[in-house]
mmCIF file of all heavy atoms in Angstrom:
data_model
loop_
_atom_site.group_PDB
_atom_site.id
_atom_site.type_symbol
_atom_site.label_atom_id
_atom_site.label_comp_id
_atom_site.label_asym_id
_atom_site.label_seq_id
_atom_site.Cartn_x
_atom_site.Cartn_y
_atom_site.Cartn_z
ATOM 1 N N GLU A 58 -4.354 -2.452 28.983
ATOM 2 C CA GLU A 58 -3.793 -1.248 29.604
ATOM 3 C C GLU A 58 -2.400 -1.478 30.171
ATOM 4 O O GLU A 58 -1.500 -0.638 30.002
ATOM 5 C CB GLU A 58 -4.736 -0.770 30.710
ATOM 6 C CG GLU A 58 -4.327 0.543 31.348
ATOM 7 C CD GLU A 58 -5.343 0.995 32.372
ATOM 8 O OE1 GLU A 58 -5.912 0.127 33.072
ATOM 9 O OE2 GLU A 58 -5.584 2.205 32.457
ATOM 10 N N GLU A 59 -2.184 -2.607 30.836
ATOM 11 C CA GLU A 59 -0.911 -2.831 31.523
ATOM 12 C C GLU A 59 0.247 -3.083 30.561
ATOM 13 O O GLU A 59 1.408 -3.026 30.976
ATOM 14 C CB GLU A 59 -1.043 -4.004 32.498
ATOM 15 C CG GLU A 59 -1.950 -3.699 33.691
ATOM 16 C CD GLU A 59 -2.011 -4.854 34.671
ATOM 17 O OE1 GLU A 59 -1.178 -5.775 34.566
ATOM 18 O OE2 GLU A 59 -2.901 -4.840 35.543
ATOM 19 N N ASN A 60 -0.055 -3.351 29.296
ATOM 20 C CA ASN A 60 1.006 -3.629 28.323
ATOM 21 C C ASN A 60 1.420 -2.424 27.507
ATOM 22 O O ASN A 60 2.377 -2.500 26.731
ATOM 23 C CB ASN A 60 0.552 -4.726 27.352
ATOM 24 C CG ASN A 60 0.306 -6.045 28.036
ATOM 25 O OD1 ASN A 60 0.729 -6.243 29.161
ATOM 26 N ND2 ASN A 60 -0.384 -6.948 27.358
ATOM 27 N N ILE A 61 0.712 -1.312 27.661
ATOM 28 C CA ILE A 61 0.914 -0.188 26.746
ATOM 29 C C ILE A 61 2.344 0.337 26.769
ATOM 30 O O ILE A 61 3.004 0.465 25.724
ATOM 31 C CB ILE A 61 -0.071 0.950 27.079
ATOM 32 C CG1 ILE A 61 -1.490 0.538 26.701
ATOM 33 C CG2 ILE A 61 0.322 2.233 26.327
ATOM 34 C CD1 ILE A 61 -2.532 1.554 27.073
ATOM 35 N N TYR A 62 2.867 0.653 27.940
ATOM 36 C CA TYR A 62 4.176 1.315 27.987
ATOM 37 C C TYR A 62 5.300 0.362 27.621
ATOM 38 O O TYR A 62 6.323 0.786 27.060
ATOM 39 C CB TYR A 62 4.384 1.949 29.366
ATOM 40 C CG TYR A 62 3.428 3.095 29.592
ATOM 41 C CD1 TYR A 62 2.324 2.955 30.442
ATOM 42 C CD2 TYR A 62 3.588 4.299 28.923
ATOM 43 C CE1 TYR A 62 1.417 3.988 30.613
ATOM 44 C CE2 TYR A 62 2.685 5.344 29.092
ATOM 45 C CZ TYR A 62 1.612 5.179 29.940
ATOM 46 O OH TYR A 62 0.710 6.201 30.095
ATOM 47 N N GLU A 63 5.106 -0.914 27.891
ATOM 48 C CA GLU A 63 6.081 -1.903 27.436
ATOM 49 C C GLU A 63 6.092 -1.957 25.912
ATOM 50 O O GLU A 63 7.157 -2.053 25.291
ATOM 51 C CB GLU A 63 5.745 -3.288 28.008
ATOM 52 C CG GLU A 63 6.631 -4.418 27.510
ATOM 53 C CD GLU A 63 8.090 -4.258 27.900
ATOM 54 O OE1 GLU A 63 8.390 -3.493 28.837
ATOM 55 O OE2 GLU A 63 8.941 -4.903 27.245
ATOM 56 N N ARG A 64 4.929 -1.860 25.306
ATOM 57 C CA ARG A 64 4.839 -1.855 23.848
ATOM 58 C C ARG A 64 5.480 -0.598 23.262
ATOM 59 O O ARG A 64 6.156 -0.657 22.235
ATOM 60 C CB ARG A 64 3.370 -1.918 23.408
ATOM 61 C CG ARG A 64 2.734 -3.267 23.615
ATOM 62 C CD ARG A 64 1.275 -3.212 23.174
ATOM 63 N NE ARG A 64 0.696 -4.536 23.201
ATOM 64 C CZ ARG A 64 0.848 -5.436 22.256
ATOM 65 N NH1 ARG A 64 1.572 -5.150 21.200
ATOM 66 N NH2 ARG A 64 0.289 -6.620 22.348
ATOM 67 N N VAL A 65 5.223 0.532 23.887
ATOM 68 C CA VAL A 65 5.814 1.784 23.414
ATOM 69 C C VAL A 65 7.331 1.690 23.452
ATOM 70 O O VAL A 65 8.022 2.075 22.500
ATOM 71 C CB VAL A 65 5.324 2.970 24.268
ATOM 72 C CG1 VAL A 65 6.097 4.241 23.916
ATOM 73 C CG2 VAL A 65 3.826 3.181 24.084
ATOM 74 N N ARG A 66 7.863 1.156 24.562
ATOM 75 C CA ARG A 66 9.316 1.034 24.702
ATOM 76 C C ARG A 66 9.891 0.022 23.730
ATOM 77 O O ARG A 66 10.890 0.286 23.050
ATOM 78 C CB ARG A 66 9.655 0.610 26.135
ATOM 79 C CG ARG A 66 11.154 0.541 26.428
ATOM 80 C CD ARG A 66 11.420 -0.146 27.755
ATOM 81 N NE ARG A 66 11.005 -1.549 27.725
ATOM 82 C CZ ARG A 66 11.741 -2.506 27.163
ATOM 83 N NH1 ARG A 66 12.888 -2.236 26.567
ATOM 84 N NH2 ARG A 66 11.304 -3.760 27.178
ATOM 85 N N LYS A 67 9.236 -1.119 23.618
ATOM 86 C CA LYS A 67 9.770 -2.212 22.806
ATOM 87 C C LYS A 67 9.553 -1.996 21.313
ATOM 88 O O LYS A 67 10.461 -2.197 20.504
ATOM 89 C CB LYS A 67 9.115 -3.528 23.238
ATOM 90 C CG LYS A 67 9.602 -4.740 22.482
ATOM 91 C CD LYS A 67 8.882 -5.994 22.970
ATOM 92 C CE LYS A 67 9.287 -7.214 22.163
ATOM 93 N NZ LYS A 67 8.573 -8.447 22.597
ATOM 94 N N ASP A 68 8.321 -1.593 20.934
ATOM 95 C CA ASP A 68 7.963 -1.510 19.518
ATOM 96 C C ASP A 68 8.174 -0.130 18.914
ATOM 97 O O ASP A 68 8.090 0.023 17.696
ATOM 98 C CB ASP A 68 6.495 -1.913 19.328
ATOM 99 C CG ASP A 68 6.213 -3.318 19.828
ATOM 100 O OD1 ASP A 68 7.155 -4.119 19.885
ATOM 101 O OD2 ASP A 68 5.046 -3.612 20.161
ATOM 102 N N LYS A 69 8.405 0.869 19.778
ATOM 103 C CA LYS A 69 8.564 2.250 19.303
ATOM 104 C C LYS A 69 7.327 2.713 18.535
ATOM 105 O O LYS A 69 7.417 3.400 17.517
ATOM 106 C CB LYS A 69 9.808 2.382 18.412
ATOM 107 C CG LYS A 69 11.099 1.941 19.082
ATOM 108 C CD LYS A 69 11.437 2.812 20.283
ATOM 109 C CE LYS A 69 12.828 2.519 20.843
ATOM 110 N NZ LYS A 69 12.922 1.192 21.471
ATOM 111 N N VAL A 70 6.164 2.316 19.046
ATOM 112 C CA VAL A 70 4.885 2.695 18.458
ATOM 113 C C VAL A 70 4.100 3.479 19.506
ATOM 114 O O VAL A 70 4.020 3.049 20.660
ATOM 115 C CB VAL A 70 4.086 1.439 18.026
ATOM 116 C CG1 VAL A 70 2.725 1.831 17.483
ATOM 117 C CG2 VAL A 70 4.867 0.647 16.980
ATOM 118 N N PRO A 71 3.517 4.642 19.154
ATOM 119 C CA PRO A 71 2.894 5.526 20.153
ATOM 120 C C PRO A 71 1.500 5.091 20.612
ATOM 121 O O PRO A 71 0.530 5.845 20.509
ATOM 122 C CB PRO A 71 2.842 6.867 19.427
ATOM 123 C CG PRO A 71 2.655 6.492 17.993
ATOM 124 C CD PRO A 71 3.491 5.246 17.806
ATOM 125 N N TYR A 72 1.404 3.880 21.144
ATOM 126 C CA TYR A 72 0.110 3.415 21.642
ATOM 127 C C TYR A 72 -0.446 4.368 22.693
ATOM 128 O O TYR A 72 -1.654 4.623 22.737
ATOM 129 C CB TYR A 72 0.244 2.017 22.253
ATOM 130 C CG TYR A 72 0.503 0.897 21.274
ATOM 131 C CD1 TYR A 72 1.783 0.402 21.065
ATOM 132 C CD2 TYR A 72 -0.540 0.316 20.555
ATOM 133 C CE1 TYR A 72 2.018 -0.641 20.179
ATOM 134 C CE2 TYR A 72 -0.310 -0.719 19.662
ATOM 135 C CZ TYR A 72 0.973 -1.192 19.477
ATOM 136 O OH TYR A 72 1.209 -2.209 18.596
ATOM 137 N N ASP A 73 0.415 4.849 23.569
ATOM 138 C CA ASP A 73 -0.044 5.721 24.650
ATOM 139 C C ASP A 73 -0.659 7.013 24.105
ATOM 140 O O ASP A 73 -1.676 7.493 24.615
ATOM 141 C CB ASP A 73 1.100 6.031 25.619
ATOM 142 C CG ASP A 73 2.326 6.621 24.925
ATOM 143 O OD1 ASP A 73 2.501 6.417 23.696
ATOM 144 O OD2 ASP A 73 3.127 7.285 25.616
ATOM 145 N N VAL A 74 -0.057 7.558 23.073
ATOM 146 C CA VAL A 74 -0.582 8.782 22.459
ATOM 147 C C VAL A 74 -1.941 8.500 21.813
ATOM 148 O O VAL A 74 -2.898 9.269 21.959
ATOM 149 C CB VAL A 74 0.401 9.328 21.403
ATOM 150 C CG1 VAL A 74 -0.211 10.516 20.659
ATOM 151 C CG2 VAL A 74 1.717 9.726 22.062
ATOM 152 N N TRP A 75 -2.039 7.383 21.122
ATOM 153 C CA TRP A 75 -3.299 7.039 20.461
ATOM 154 C C TRP A 75 -4.406 6.784 21.468
ATOM 155 O O TRP A 75 -5.572 7.095 21.206
ATOM 156 C CB TRP A 75 -3.098 5.824 19.564
ATOM 157 C CG TRP A 75 -2.287 6.126 18.334
ATOM 158 C CD1 TRP A 75 -2.164 7.336 17.708
ATOM 159 C CD2 TRP A 75 -1.484 5.211 17.586
ATOM 160 N NE1 TRP A 75 -1.345 7.229 16.614
ATOM 161 C CE2 TRP A 75 -0.908 5.946 16.509
ATOM 162 C CE3 TRP A 75 -1.188 3.853 17.706
ATOM 163 C CZ2 TRP A 75 -0.064 5.353 15.570
ATOM 164 C CZ3 TRP A 75 -0.353 3.265 16.772
ATOM 165 C CH2 TRP A 75 0.201 4.008 15.713
ATOM 166 N N VAL A 76 -4.058 6.236 22.642
ATOM 167 C CA VAL A 76 -5.057 6.050 23.696
ATOM 168 C C VAL A 76 -5.556 7.412 24.175
ATOM 169 O O VAL A 76 -6.765 7.642 24.305
ATOM 170 C CB VAL A 76 -4.481 5.234 24.866
ATOM 171 C CG1 VAL A 76 -5.420 5.295 26.073
ATOM 172 C CG2 VAL A 76 -4.261 3.785 24.449
ATOM 173 N N LYS A 77 -4.631 8.341 24.421
ATOM 174 C CA LYS A 77 -5.016 9.675 24.885
ATOM 175 C C LYS A 77 -5.857 10.409 23.846
ATOM 176 O O LYS A 77 -6.757 11.180 24.181
ATOM 177 C CB LYS A 77 -3.764 10.492 25.207
ATOM 178 C CG LYS A 77 -3.009 10.005 26.442
ATOM 179 C CD LYS A 77 -1.744 10.812 26.666
ATOM 180 C CE LYS A 77 -0.978 10.295 27.879
ATOM 181 N NZ LYS A 77 0.309 11.025 28.077
ATOM 182 N N GLN A 78 -5.579 10.159 22.579
ATOM 183 C CA GLN A 78 -6.316 10.831 21.504
ATOM 184 C C GLN A 78 -7.653 10.156 21.206
ATOM 185 O O GLN A 78 -8.447 10.677 20.432
ATOM 186 C CB GLN A 78 -5.464 10.862 20.231
ATOM 187 C CG GLN A 78 -4.233 11.745 20.350
ATOM 188 C CD GLN A 78 -3.325 11.650 19.118
ATOM 189 O OE1 GLN A 78 -3.370 10.673 18.367
ATOM 190 N NE2 GLN A 78 -2.508 12.664 18.917
ATOM 191 N N GLY A 79 -7.891 8.984 21.814
ATOM 192 C CA GLY A 79 -9.164 8.301 21.636
ATOM 193 C C GLY A 79 -9.225 7.336 20.469
ATOM 194 O O GLY A 79 -10.305 6.811 20.155
ATOM 195 N N TYR A 80 -8.094 7.068 19.844
ATOM 196 C CA TYR A 80 -8.076 6.145 18.706
ATOM 197 C C TYR A 80 -7.981 4.681 19.146
ATOM 198 O O TYR A 80 -8.312 3.783 18.378
ATOM 199 C CB TYR A 80 -6.917 6.465 17.767
ATOM 200 C CG TYR A 80 -7.063 7.786 17.067
ATOM 201 C CD1 TYR A 80 -6.222 8.866 17.369
ATOM 202 C CD2 TYR A 80 -8.053 7.972 16.107
ATOM 203 C CE1 TYR A 80 -6.363 10.079 16.727
ATOM 204 C CE2 TYR A 80 -8.197 9.190 15.461
ATOM 205 C CZ TYR A 80 -7.347 10.239 15.768
ATOM 206 O OH TYR A 80 -7.493 11.450 15.139
ATOM 207 N N ILE A 81 -7.505 4.452 20.363
ATOM 208 C CA ILE A 81 -7.416 3.107 20.923
ATOM 209 C C ILE A 81 -8.033 3.135 22.313
ATOM 210 O O ILE A 81 -7.842 4.093 23.064
ATOM 211 C CB ILE A 81 -5.951 2.625 21.015
ATOM 212 C CG1 ILE A 81 -5.336 2.477 19.622
ATOM 213 C CG2 ILE A 81 -5.864 1.291 21.748
ATOM 214 C CD1 ILE A 81 -3.880 2.012 19.648
ATOM 215 N N GLU A 82 -8.756 2.081 22.656
ATOM 216 C CA GLU A 82 -9.276 1.936 24.009
ATOM 217 C C GLU A 82 -8.390 0.969 24.783
ATOM 218 O O GLU A 82 -8.110 -0.133 24.313
ATOM 219 C CB GLU A 82 -10.709 1.414 23.998
ATOM 220 C CG GLU A 82 -11.295 1.237 25.389
ATOM 221 C CD GLU A 82 -12.711 0.721 25.383
ATOM 222 O OE1 GLU A 82 -13.386 0.849 24.340
ATOM 223 O OE2 GLU A 82 -13.152 0.180 26.415
ATOM 224 N N ALA A 83 -7.930 1.386 25.943
ATOM 225 C CA ALA A 83 -7.124 0.527 26.811
ATOM 226 C C ALA A 83 -8.054 -0.191 27.774
ATOM 227 O O ALA A 83 -8.764 0.443 28.561
ATOM 228 C CB ALA A 83 -6.092 1.349 27.568
ATOM 229 N N THR A 84 -8.071 -1.515 27.702
ATOM 230 C CA THR A 84 -8.912 -2.287 28.618
ATOM 231 C C THR A 84 -8.115 -2.641 29.866
ATOM 232 O O THR A 84 -6.905 -2.832 29.799
ATOM 233 C CB THR A 84 -9.432 -3.572 27.948
ATOM 234 O OG1 THR A 84 -8.325 -4.430 27.634
ATOM 235 C CG2 THR A 84 -10.181 -3.245 26.669
ATOM 236 N N SER A 85 -8.772 -2.706 30.996
ATOM 237 C CA SER A 85 -8.091 -2.926 32.264
ATOM 238 C C SER A 85 -7.412 -4.292 32.285
ATOM 239 O O SER A 85 -7.897 -5.264 31.689
ATOM 240 C CB SER A 85 -9.070 -2.811 33.428
ATOM 241 O OG SER A 85 -10.109 -3.765 33.284
ATOM 242 N N GLY A 86 -6.274 -4.357 32.965
ATOM 243 C CA GLY A 86 -5.554 -5.611 33.104
ATOM 244 C C GLY A 86 -4.471 -5.795 32.057
ATOM 245 O O GLY A 86 -4.133 -4.876 31.307
ATOM 246 N N ASN A 87 -3.910 -6.997 32.007
ATOM 247 C CA ASN A 87 -2.812 -7.266 31.081
ATOM 248 C C ASN A 87 -3.237 -8.160 29.912
ATOM 249 O O ASN A 87 -2.388 -8.625 29.150
ATOM 250 C CB ASN A 87 -1.627 -7.892 31.817
ATOM 251 C CG ASN A 87 -1.999 -9.201 32.504
ATOM 252 O OD1 ASN A 87 -3.125 -9.684 32.371
ATOM 253 N ND2 ASN A 87 -1.070 -9.761 33.246
ATOM 254 N N VAL A 88 -4.534 -8.415 29.794
ATOM 255 C CA VAL A 88 -5.072 -9.126 28.629
ATOM 256 C C VAL A 88 -6.313 -8.369 28.149
ATOM 257 O O VAL A 88 -6.924 -7.609 28.900
ATOM 258 C CB VAL A 88 -5.439 -10.586 28.951
ATOM 259 C CG1 VAL A 88 -4.211 -11.387 29.341
ATOM 260 C CG2 VAL A 88 -6.504 -10.659 30.047
ATOM 261 N N ILE A 89 -6.652 -8.571 26.874
ATOM 262 C CA ILE A 89 -7.815 -7.893 26.318
ATOM 263 C C ILE A 89 -9.087 -8.320 27.049
ATOM 264 O O ILE A 89 -9.315 -9.510 27.299
ATOM 265 C CB ILE A 89 -7.954 -8.215 24.815
ATOM 266 C CG1 ILE A 89 -6.911 -7.426 24.006
ATOM 267 C CG2 ILE A 89 -9.340 -7.878 24.306
ATOM 268 C CD1 ILE A 89 -7.189 -5.941 23.918
ATOM 269 N N ASP A 90 -9.905 -7.336 27.395
ATOM 270 C CA ASP A 90 -11.191 -7.593 28.033
ATOM 271 C C ASP A 90 -12.243 -7.741 26.932
ATOM 272 O O ASP A 90 -12.720 -6.755 26.372
ATOM 273 C CB ASP A 90 -11.540 -6.436 28.962
ATOM 274 C CG ASP A 90 -12.854 -6.647 29.697
ATOM 275 O OD1 ASP A 90 -13.504 -7.688 29.454
ATOM 276 O OD2 ASP A 90 -13.235 -5.779 30.500
ATOM 277 N N TYR A 91 -12.598 -8.979 26.608
ATOM 278 C CA TYR A 91 -13.545 -9.217 25.529
ATOM 279 C C TYR A 91 -14.930 -8.677 25.851
ATOM 280 O O TYR A 91 -15.728 -8.404 24.954
ATOM 281 C CB TYR A 91 -13.614 -10.709 25.209
ATOM 282 C CG TYR A 91 -12.305 -11.265 24.700
ATOM 283 C CD1 TYR A 91 -11.852 -12.520 25.091
ATOM 284 C CD2 TYR A 91 -11.499 -10.526 23.830
ATOM 285 C CE1 TYR A 91 -10.645 -13.028 24.624
ATOM 286 C CE2 TYR A 91 -10.287 -11.022 23.366
ATOM 287 C CZ TYR A 91 -9.866 -12.274 23.763
ATOM 288 O OH TYR A 91 -8.680 -12.764 23.305
#
Side-chain angles (χ1 to χ4, degrees):
E58 185 177 36
E59 291 183 13
N60 296 345
I61 290 176
Y62 293 105
E63 175 63 19
R64 287 179 173 279
V65 171
R66 184 191 65 79
K67 181 181 176 181
D68 302 336
K69 303 297 188 292
V70 177
Y72 290 99
D73 55 337
V74 174
W75 289 334
V76 168
K77 291 177 182 177
Q78 293 174 338
Y80 293 111
I81 295 180
E82 180 180 340
T84 64
S85 59
N87 59 4
V88 296
I89 284 289
D90 182 359
Y91 297 140

